[in-house]
Amino acid sequence: MLKKFVSSILAIVLLAGCGGKTEGEASQGETPSVSCAEIAADLVSELNLSDVVSEAKTRTVYGSFFNTREGDENSPVTDAAAYLPTEKNSDTVGVFRTDDAETVKTLLEEYLSAQKALSEMYSPEEVFKISNAVVETSEDGKTVILVVCNDIEDAKAKVQAALQR
């Protein structure tokens, strides 16, 4: 009896693992397999920003960009990750999952306006970077990426590649 029970459980477990989608084969409506944190970390690495930014805690990300908390029903994002400046610079990388890309982009523009106003007073050399920040949305409208850095053209290319994941 115990053998049949264990065999049945084992068969169910094995069958449950079969027929799944392979990596990168998410159908529409499913959450992409790559997290915001992974995309943000890859962008920081690819853009050589690891010396000038540091990973922000989740509560800081939600508070800084959206004035909400993680899990708040009024939050326009379902997942978020960001790297914020460590020194007196404005370099920033943010990756956000959402069902409302337009709202997220509007809030990111407000964030950039506030950062620009601060930079005009304290770090005028950073204003150009902020004014030319890359804010792009994936084709499905579910992912928004923000990058502020010196090499704008490279950032645009890397962001486009990241959005194709």
Side-chain angles (χ1 to χ4, degrees):
M1 179 79 165
L2 182 60
K3 278 185 171 180
K4 283 186 178 182
F5 178 74
V6 172
S7 302
S8 298
I9 296 296
L10 184 58
I12 290 170
V13 169
L14 289 174
L15 288 174
C18 295
K21 291 183 170 47
T22 60
E23 187 175 326
E25 193 182 340
S27 63
Q28 286 212 309
E30 287 186 23
T31 304
S33 60
V34 181
S35 72
C36 290
E38 291 171 313
I39 295 171
D42 288 348
L43 284 169
V44 168
S45 175
E46 292 171 7
L47 294 168
N48 298 318
L49 297 175
S50 56
D51 293 341
V52 294
V53 296
S54 64
E55 186 174 10
K57 294 184 181 207
T58 304
R59 69 175 182 264
T60 302
V61 175
Y62 281 80
S64 295
F65 294 101
F66 308 109
N67 199 26
T68 63
R69 286 186 250 165
E70 182 179 20
D72 186 347
E73 67 182 45
N74 296 324
S75 178
V77 295
T78 56
D79 186 21
Y83 285 75
L84 300 175
T86 56
E87 299 292 324
K88 293 182 180 181
N89 65 55
S90 57
D91 295 335
T92 305
V93 173
V95 181
F96 312 97
R97 289 270 158 66
T98 183
D99 290 325
D100 188 359
E102 289 307 312
T103 298
V104 170
K105 287 175 79 171
T106 299
L107 291 168
L108 291 177
E109 293 299 331
E110 290 173 9
Y111 169 82
L112 290 169
S113 292
Q115 294 303 307
K116 184 177 175 182
L118 287 171
S119 290
E120 286 172 345
M121 289 189 289
Y122 300 110
S123 304
E125 65 279 0
E126 296 294 310
V127 172
F128 180 78
K129 283 197 287 190
I130 297 169
S131 297
N132 292 290
V134 177
V135 179
E136 296 288 335
T137 306
S138 62
E139 286 184 25
D140 65 1
K142 301 286 185 192
T143 305
V144 180
I145 297 178
L146 162 71
V147 175
V148 178
C149 70
N150 286 326
D151 193 345
I152 298 161
E153 293 306 315
D154 191 33
K156 285 180 183 178
K158 301 279 196 259
V159 166
Q160 285 302 317
L163 287 171
Q164 299 304 315
R165 293 167 139 198

Short mmCIF file of all heavy atoms in Angstrom, two decimals, residues 107-159:
data_model
loop_
_atom_site.label_atom_id
_atom_site.label_comp_id
_atom_site.label_asym_id
_atom_site.label_seq_id
_atom_site.Cartn_x
_atom_site.Cartn_y
_atom_site.Cartn_z
N LEU A 107 5.45 59.40 -14.15
CA LEU A 107 6.09 59.50 -12.83
C LEU A 107 7.61 59.56 -12.95
O LEU A 107 8.27 60.27 -12.18
CB LEU A 107 5.65 58.34 -11.94
CG LEU A 107 4.17 58.39 -11.51
CD1 LEU A 107 3.75 57.09 -10.88
CD2 LEU A 107 3.93 59.56 -10.57
N LEU A 108 8.18 58.85 -13.92
CA LEU A 108 9.62 58.91 -14.13
C LEU A 108 10.03 60.29 -14.65
O LEU A 108 11.08 60.82 -14.26
CB LEU A 108 10.08 57.81 -15.08
CG LEU A 108 9.99 56.39 -14.55
CD1 LEU A 108 10.39 55.38 -15.63
CD2 LEU A 108 10.83 56.21 -13.31
N GLU A 109 9.22 60.89 -15.50
CA GLU A 109 9.50 62.24 -15.98
C GLU A 109 9.45 63.25 -14.83
O GLU A 109 10.27 64.17 -14.77
CB GLU A 109 8.52 62.65 -17.09
CG GLU A 109 8.67 61.86 -18.38
CD GLU A 109 10.04 61.99 -19.04
OE1 GLU A 109 10.70 63.04 -18.89
OE2 GLU A 109 10.45 61.04 -19.71
N GLU A 110 8.51 63.06 -13.90
CA GLU A 110 8.44 63.92 -12.72
C GLU A 110 9.70 63.74 -11.86
O GLU A 110 10.26 64.72 -11.36
CB GLU A 110 7.19 63.61 -11.90
CG GLU A 110 5.91 64.05 -12.57
CD GLU A 110 4.66 63.60 -11.83
OE1 GLU A 110 4.76 63.07 -10.69
OE2 GLU A 110 3.56 63.77 -12.39
N TYR A 111 10.13 62.50 -11.70
CA TYR A 111 11.36 62.22 -10.95
C TYR A 111 12.55 62.91 -11.62
O TYR A 111 13.36 63.56 -10.94
CB TYR A 111 11.59 60.70 -10.89
CG TYR A 111 12.95 60.31 -10.38
CD1 TYR A 111 13.22 60.28 -9.02
CD2 TYR A 111 13.99 60.00 -11.26
CE1 TYR A 111 14.49 59.94 -8.54
CE2 TYR A 111 15.25 59.65 -10.80
CZ TYR A 111 15.49 59.63 -9.44
OH TYR A 111 16.74 59.30 -8.98
N LEU A 112 12.65 62.79 -12.93
CA LEU A 112 13.76 63.41 -13.65
C LEU A 112 13.71 64.93 -13.56
O LEU A 112 14.76 65.58 -13.43
CB LEU A 112 13.76 62.97 -15.12
CG LEU A 112 14.12 61.51 -15.36
CD1 LEU A 112 13.83 61.11 -16.80
CD2 LEU A 112 15.58 61.25 -15.00
N SER A 113 12.53 65.52 -13.60
CA SER A 113 12.39 66.98 -13.45
C SER A 113 12.89 67.43 -12.09
O SER A 113 13.59 68.45 -11.98
CB SER A 113 10.94 67.41 -13.62
OG SER A 113 10.53 67.21 -14.94
N ALA A 114 12.54 66.69 -11.05
CA ALA A 114 13.00 67.03 -9.70
C ALA A 114 14.52 66.89 -9.60
O ALA A 114 15.20 67.75 -9.01
CB ALA A 114 12.31 66.14 -8.67
N GLN A 115 15.07 65.82 -10.19
CA GLN A 115 16.52 65.63 -10.17
C GLN A 115 17.23 66.73 -10.95
O GLN A 115 18.30 67.21 -10.55
CB GLN A 115 16.89 64.25 -10.74
CG GLN A 115 16.41 63.09 -9.90
CD GLN A 115 16.94 63.17 -8.48
OE1 GLN A 115 18.12 63.31 -8.25
NE2 GLN A 115 16.03 63.10 -7.52
N LYS A 116 16.64 67.13 -12.04
CA LYS A 116 17.22 68.20 -12.86
C LYS A 116 17.25 69.52 -12.08
O LYS A 116 18.25 70.24 -12.10
CB LYS A 116 16.43 68.36 -14.16
CG LYS A 116 17.00 69.37 -15.11
CD LYS A 116 16.20 69.40 -16.39
CE LYS A 116 16.67 70.48 -17.32
NZ LYS A 116 15.86 70.55 -18.54
N ALA A 117 16.16 69.82 -11.38
CA ALA A 117 16.10 71.05 -10.59
C ALA A 117 17.18 71.05 -9.50
O ALA A 117 17.84 72.06 -9.27
CB ALA A 117 14.72 71.22 -9.97
N LEU A 118 17.36 69.90 -8.84
CA LEU A 118 18.41 69.80 -7.83
C LEU A 118 19.80 69.95 -8.44
O LEU A 118 20.67 70.63 -7.90
CB LEU A 118 18.32 68.46 -7.10
CG LEU A 118 17.19 68.30 -6.11
CD1 LEU A 118 17.11 66.85 -5.63
CD2 LEU A 118 17.37 69.23 -4.93
N SER A 119 19.99 69.33 -9.59
CA SER A 119 21.29 69.40 -10.25
C SER A 119 21.61 70.81 -10.73
O SER A 119 22.78 71.22 -10.71
CB SER A 119 21.35 68.44 -11.43
OG SER A 119 21.36 67.11 -10.96
N GLU A 120 20.61 71.54 -11.17
CA GLU A 120 20.85 72.91 -11.61
C GLU A 120 21.43 73.75 -10.49
O GLU A 120 22.26 74.62 -10.71
CB GLU A 120 19.56 73.54 -12.14
CG GLU A 120 19.16 73.00 -13.49
CD GLU A 120 17.78 73.45 -13.95
OE1 GLU A 120 16.98 73.95 -13.12
OE2 GLU A 120 17.50 73.27 -15.15
N MET A 121 21.03 73.45 -9.26
CA MET A 121 21.54 74.21 -8.10
C MET A 121 22.88 73.68 -7.61
O MET A 121 23.75 74.45 -7.27
CB MET A 121 20.52 74.15 -6.96
CG MET A 121 19.28 74.95 -7.21
SD MET A 121 18.21 75.08 -5.77
CE MET A 121 17.58 73.43 -5.65
N TYR A 122 23.03 72.35 -7.56
CA TYR A 122 24.18 71.77 -6.88
C TYR A 122 25.22 71.13 -7.80
O TYR A 122 26.39 71.05 -7.45
CB TYR A 122 23.72 70.73 -5.85
CG TYR A 122 22.83 71.33 -4.81
CD1 TYR A 122 21.47 71.03 -4.76
CD2 TYR A 122 23.34 72.22 -3.86
CE1 TYR A 122 20.65 71.58 -3.80
CE2 TYR A 122 22.52 72.78 -2.90
CZ TYR A 122 21.18 72.47 -2.87
OH TYR A 122 20.37 73.02 -1.92
N SER A 123 24.81 70.62 -8.95
CA SER A 123 25.74 69.94 -9.87
C SER A 123 25.35 70.26 -11.31
O SER A 123 24.86 69.39 -12.04
CB SER A 123 25.69 68.43 -9.67
OG SER A 123 25.97 68.08 -8.35
N PRO A 124 25.57 71.48 -11.76
CA PRO A 124 25.13 71.87 -13.11
C PRO A 124 25.68 70.99 -14.23
O PRO A 124 25.05 70.83 -15.27
CB PRO A 124 25.61 73.30 -13.27
CG PRO A 124 26.11 73.74 -11.96
CD PRO A 124 26.23 72.57 -11.06
N GLU A 125 26.83 70.37 -13.99
CA GLU A 125 27.42 69.50 -15.02
C GLU A 125 26.59 68.24 -15.26
O GLU A 125 26.77 67.56 -16.27
CB GLU A 125 28.87 69.14 -14.67
CG GLU A 125 29.04 68.30 -13.42
CD GLU A 125 28.99 69.07 -12.10
OE1 GLU A 125 28.82 70.31 -12.10
OE2 GLU A 125 29.10 68.41 -11.06
N GLU A 126 25.68 67.91 -14.35
CA GLU A 126 24.84 66.71 -14.48
C GLU A 126 23.53 66.97 -15.24
O GLU A 126 22.85 66.02 -15.61
CB GLU A 126 24.52 66.15 -13.09
CG GLU A 126 25.72 65.66 -12.32
CD GLU A 126 26.37 64.45 -12.95
OE1 GLU A 126 25.66 63.49 -13.26
OE2 GLU A 126 27.59 64.48 -13.13
N VAL A 127 23.20 68.22 -15.46
CA VAL A 127 21.91 68.56 -16.08
C VAL A 127 21.77 67.94 -17.47
O VAL A 127 20.71 67.44 -17.83
CB VAL A 127 21.73 70.10 -16.14
CG1 VAL A 127 20.50 70.48 -16.95
CG2 VAL A 127 21.63 70.66 -14.73
N PHE A 128 22.84 67.95 -18.27
CA PHE A 128 22.77 67.39 -19.61
C PHE A 128 22.38 65.92 -19.58
O PHE A 128 21.54 65.48 -20.36
CB PHE A 128 24.12 67.57 -20.34
CG PHE A 128 24.10 67.01 -21.73
CD1 PHE A 128 23.49 67.70 -22.77
CD2 PHE A 128 24.68 65.78 -22.00
CE1 PHE A 128 23.46 67.19 -24.06
CE2 PHE A 128 24.65 65.25 -23.29
CZ PHE A 128 24.04 65.96 -24.31
N LYS A 129 23.00 65.15 -18.67
CA LYS A 129 22.68 63.72 -18.57
C LYS A 129 21.21 63.50 -18.23
O LYS A 129 20.54 62.66 -18.83
CB LYS A 129 23.52 63.04 -17.48
CG LYS A 129 24.92 62.76 -17.87
CD LYS A 129 25.58 61.75 -16.95
CE LYS A 129 25.90 62.30 -15.61
NZ LYS A 129 26.76 61.41 -14.81
N ILE A 130 20.73 64.26 -17.27
CA ILE A 130 19.34 64.10 -16.84
C ILE A 130 18.38 64.51 -17.96
O ILE A 130 17.38 63.83 -18.21
CB ILE A 130 19.07 64.91 -15.56
CG1 ILE A 130 19.94 64.38 -14.43
CG2 ILE A 130 17.59 64.86 -15.19
CD1 ILE A 130 19.96 65.26 -13.20
N SER A 131 18.71 65.59 -18.65
CA SER A 131 17.86 66.07 -19.74
C SER A 131 17.77 65.06 -20.88
O SER A 131 16.80 65.05 -21.64
CB SER A 131 18.39 67.39 -20.29
OG SER A 131 18.35 68.38 -19.30
N ASN A 132 18.79 64.22 -21.03
CA ASN A 132 18.83 63.25 -22.11
C ASN A 132 18.69 61.81 -21.62
O ASN A 132 19.17 60.88 -22.26
CB ASN A 132 20.13 63.42 -22.89
CG ASN A 132 20.15 64.74 -23.62
OD1 ASN A 132 19.42 64.92 -24.58
ND2 ASN A 132 20.95 65.67 -23.15
N ALA A 133 18.04 61.65 -20.50
CA ALA A 133 17.84 60.31 -19.94
C ALA A 133 17.08 59.42 -20.92
O ALA A 133 16.24 59.88 -21.70
CB ALA A 133 17.06 60.41 -18.63
N VAL A 134 17.39 58.15 -20.87
CA VAL A 134 16.71 57.16 -21.71
C VAL A 134 15.54 56.59 -20.90
O VAL A 134 15.74 56.05 -19.81
CB VAL A 134 17.68 56.02 -22.11
CG1 VAL A 134 16.95 54.97 -22.92
CG2 VAL A 134 18.87 56.57 -22.86
N VAL A 135 14.34 56.74 -21.43
CA VAL A 135 13.14 56.15 -20.82
C VAL A 135 12.43 55.41 -21.94
O VAL A 135 11.85 56.03 -22.83
CB VAL A 135 12.22 57.22 -20.19
CG1 VAL A 135 10.98 56.56 -19.60
CG2 VAL A 135 12.95 58.04 -19.15
N GLU A 136 12.50 54.09 -21.92
CA GLU A 136 11.94 53.27 -22.99
C GLU A 136 10.98 52.22 -22.43
O GLU A 136 11.16 51.76 -21.31
CB GLU A 136 13.05 52.55 -23.75
CG GLU A 136 14.01 53.47 -24.49
CD GLU A 136 13.41 54.11 -25.72
OE1 GLU A 136 12.45 53.54 -26.29
OE2 GLU A 136 13.89 55.19 -26.10
N THR A 137 10.02 51.85 -23.26
CA THR A 137 9.02 50.85 -22.89
C THR A 137 9.10 49.67 -23.85
O THR A 137 9.32 49.85 -25.04
CB THR A 137 7.60 51.46 -22.99
OG1 THR A 137 7.57 52.65 -22.21
CG2 THR A 137 6.55 50.51 -22.49
N SER A 138 8.91 48.48 -23.31
CA SER A 138 8.90 47.27 -24.14
C SER A 138 7.70 47.31 -25.09
O SER A 138 6.73 48.05 -24.87
CB SER A 138 8.84 46.02 -23.27
OG SER A 138 7.65 46.01 -22.52
N GLU A 139 7.76 46.51 -26.14
CA GLU A 139 6.67 46.47 -27.13
C GLU A 139 5.34 46.10 -26.51
O GLU A 139 4.30 46.61 -26.91
CB GLU A 139 7.02 45.49 -28.25
CG GLU A 139 8.07 46.02 -29.19
CD GLU A 139 8.32 45.06 -30.35
OE1 GLU A 139 7.42 44.27 -30.69
OE2 GLU A 139 9.43 45.11 -30.89
N ASP A 140 5.35 45.21 -25.52
CA ASP A 140 4.10 44.80 -24.90
C ASP A 140 3.62 45.78 -23.83
O ASP A 140 2.55 45.62 -23.27
CB ASP A 140 4.20 43.39 -24.32
CG ASP A 140 5.19 43.28 -23.17
OD1 ASP A 140 5.82 44.30 -22.78
OD2 ASP A 140 5.36 42.16 -22.65
N GLY A 141 4.42 46.82 -23.55
CA GLY A 141 4.04 47.84 -22.58
C GLY A 141 4.13 47.39 -21.13
O GLY A 141 3.61 48.06 -20.24
N LYS A 142 4.79 46.29 -20.87
CA LYS A 142 4.86 45.74 -19.52
C LYS A 142 6.15 46.11 -18.78
O LYS A 142 6.22 45.96 -17.56
CB LYS A 142 4.74 44.21 -19.55
CG LYS A 142 3.47 43.70 -20.15
CD LYS A 142 2.32 43.90 -19.23
CE LYS A 142 1.06 43.26 -19.81
NZ LYS A 142 -0.12 43.65 -19.09
N THR A 143 7.17 46.57 -19.49
CA THR A 143 8.45 46.90 -18.86
C THR A 143 8.88 48.29 -19.28
O THR A 143 8.83 48.63 -20.47
CB THR A 143 9.53 45.88 -19.27
OG1 THR A 143 9.08 44.56 -18.96
CG2 THR A 143 10.85 46.15 -18.55
N VAL A 144 9.28 49.09 -18.30
CA VAL A 144 9.81 50.42 -18.57
C VAL A 144 11.21 50.49 -17.96
O VAL A 144 11.41 50.06 -16.83
CB VAL A 144 8.91 51.52 -17.95
CG1 VAL A 144 9.48 52.91 -18.23
CG2 VAL A 144 7.49 51.41 -18.46
N ILE A 145 12.15 51.02 -18.74
CA ILE A 145 13.54 51.13 -18.27
C ILE A 145 13.96 52.59 -18.33
O ILE A 145 13.71 53.29 -19.31
CB ILE A 145 14.49 50.27 -19.12
CG1 ILE A 145 14.12 48.79 -18.99
CG2 ILE A 145 15.94 50.50 -18.72
CD1 ILE A 145 14.96 47.85 -19.83
N LEU A 146 14.62 53.02 -17.26
CA LEU A 146 15.18 54.36 -17.15
C LEU A 146 16.69 54.24 -17.00
O LEU A 146 17.17 53.45 -16.17
CB LEU A 146 14.61 55.07 -15.90
CG LEU A 146 15.37 56.29 -15.40
CD1 LEU A 146 15.20 57.46 -16.35
CD2 LEU A 146 14.92 56.65 -14.00
N VAL A 147 17.44 55.01 -17.79
CA VAL A 147 18.90 55.06 -17.63
C VAL A 147 19.35 56.50 -17.77
O VAL A 147 19.01 57.19 -18.72
CB VAL A 147 19.63 54.19 -18.68
CG1 VAL A 147 21.14 54.36 -18.56
CG2 VAL A 147 19.26 52.73 -18.54
N VAL A 148 20.13 56.94 -16.79
CA VAL A 148 20.80 58.24 -16.82
C VAL A 148 22.28 57.95 -16.73
O VAL A 148 22.74 57.35 -15.75
CB VAL A 148 20.37 59.14 -15.64
CG1 VAL A 148 21.11 60.47 -15.69
CG2 VAL A 148 18.86 59.36 -15.63
N CYS A 149 23.03 58.31 -17.77
CA CYS A 149 24.48 58.10 -17.76
C CYS A 149 25.14 58.99 -18.80
O CYS A 149 24.45 59.68 -19.57
CB CYS A 149 24.83 56.63 -17.98
SG CYS A 149 24.50 56.02 -19.63
N ASN A 150 26.46 58.99 -18.82
CA ASN A 150 27.21 59.83 -19.76
C ASN A 150 27.05 59.40 -21.21
O ASN A 150 26.89 60.24 -22.08
CB ASN A 150 28.71 59.82 -19.41
CG ASN A 150 29.01 60.63 -18.18
OD1 ASN A 150 28.37 61.65 -17.92
ND2 ASN A 150 29.97 60.19 -17.40
N ASP A 151 27.12 58.11 -21.49
CA ASP A 151 27.08 57.61 -22.85
C ASP A 151 25.64 57.31 -23.26
O ASP A 151 25.17 56.17 -23.17
CB ASP A 151 27.96 56.37 -22.99
CG ASP A 151 28.20 55.99 -24.44
OD1 ASP A 151 27.48 56.49 -25.33
OD2 ASP A 151 29.13 55.18 -24.67
N ILE A 152 24.96 58.31 -23.75
CA ILE A 152 23.54 58.21 -24.05
C ILE A 152 23.27 57.21 -25.19
O ILE A 152 22.35 56.41 -25.12
CB ILE A 152 22.97 59.60 -24.41
CG1 ILE A 152 23.12 60.53 -23.20
CG2 ILE A 152 21.53 59.52 -24.84
CD1 ILE A 152 23.04 62.00 -23.54
N GLU A 153 24.08 57.27 -26.24
CA GLU A 153 23.86 56.38 -27.39
C GLU A 153 24.05 54.92 -27.00
O GLU A 153 23.27 54.06 -27.40
CB GLU A 153 24.78 56.76 -28.55
CG GLU A 153 24.45 58.11 -29.17
CD GLU A 153 23.00 58.23 -29.61
OE1 GLU A 153 22.47 57.27 -30.24
OE2 GLU A 153 22.37 59.26 -29.33
N ASP A 154 25.10 54.63 -26.22
CA ASP A 154 25.33 53.26 -25.77
C ASP A 154 24.17 52.81 -24.86
O ASP A 154 23.71 51.68 -24.96
CB ASP A 154 26.67 53.16 -25.03
CG ASP A 154 27.08 51.73 -24.75
OD1 ASP A 154 26.76 50.84 -25.58
OD2 ASP A 154 27.73 51.49 -23.72
N ALA A 155 23.71 53.73 -24.01
CA ALA A 155 22.59 53.40 -23.12
C ALA A 155 21.34 53.05 -23.92
O ALA A 155 20.64 52.08 -23.61
CB ALA A 155 22.30 54.57 -22.18
N LYS A 156 21.06 53.80 -24.98
CA LYS A 156 19.88 53.52 -25.81
C LYS A 156 19.98 52.12 -26.42
O LYS A 156 19.00 51.37 -26.41
CB LYS A 156 19.75 54.55 -26.93
CG LYS A 156 19.25 55.89 -26.46
CD LYS A 156 19.15 56.86 -27.62
CE LYS A 156 18.71 58.23 -27.13
NZ LYS A 156 18.65 59.22 -28.21
N ALA A 157 21.15 51.79 -26.93
CA ALA A 157 21.33 50.46 -27.55
C ALA A 157 21.18 49.35 -26.52
O ALA A 157 20.52 48.33 -26.78
CB ALA A 157 22.71 50.39 -28.21
N LYS A 158 21.78 49.53 -25.34
CA LYS A 158 21.71 48.50 -24.30
C LYS A 158 20.28 48.35 -23.78
O LYS A 158 19.84 47.24 -23.48
CB LYS A 158 22.65 48.84 -23.14
CG LYS A 158 24.10 48.98 -23.54
CD LYS A 158 24.78 47.65 -23.65
CE LYS A 158 26.28 47.79 -23.66
NZ LYS A 158 26.94 47.71 -24.92
N VAL A 159 19.57 49.46 -23.65
CA VAL A 159 18.18 49.40 -23.19
C VAL A 159 17.31 48.67 -24.21
O VAL A 159 16.49 47.82 -23.84
CB VAL A 159 17.63 50.82 -22.90
CG1 VAL A 159 16.12 50.81 -22.75
CG2 VAL A 159 18.30 51.39 -21.65
#
